[in-house]
Amino acid sequence: MAERLPLRQRTALLSAFGTTDADPAGPFLIGLAALELICDAAATSPMLLIADDGQWLDESSGDVLGFVARRLDGME
């Protein structure tokens, strides 16, 4: 699904997962890419997102999760 993302978002997401040699992107761009993927997937079927063991998240992952959660809140 990542291939459907705009190039900057795709590169940011792939760099976050360490699957490309690109310089790491900031949490905003990674969060935007994650949000786009979630919204695309949710357009075809209902989704439930669960963050298990949130207390073990590093700060950057928490920032991205918070970014996505704030924007998903209230979306239908």
Side-chain angles (χ1 to χ4, degrees), residues 1-66:
M1 286 186 98
E3 61 275 353
R4 291 192 231 164
L5 291 171
L7 180 60
R8 286 188 65 213
Q9 290 180 17
R10 182 174 58 242
T11 302
L13 193 63
L14 294 177
S15 70
F17 286 110
T19 59
T20 184
D21 292 332
D23 291 333
F28 175 77
L29 195 53
I30 295 168
L32 193 58
L35 181 63
E36 186 75 25
L37 286 178
I38 292 166
C39 288
D40 283 352
T44 59
S45 64
M47 292 187 68
L48 173 66
L49 300 175
I50 298 173
D52 191 24
D53 290 331
Q55 72 273 17
W56 299 111
L57 287 174
D58 59 64
E59 185 176 351
S60 295
S61 298
D63 290 344
V64 169
L65 185 61

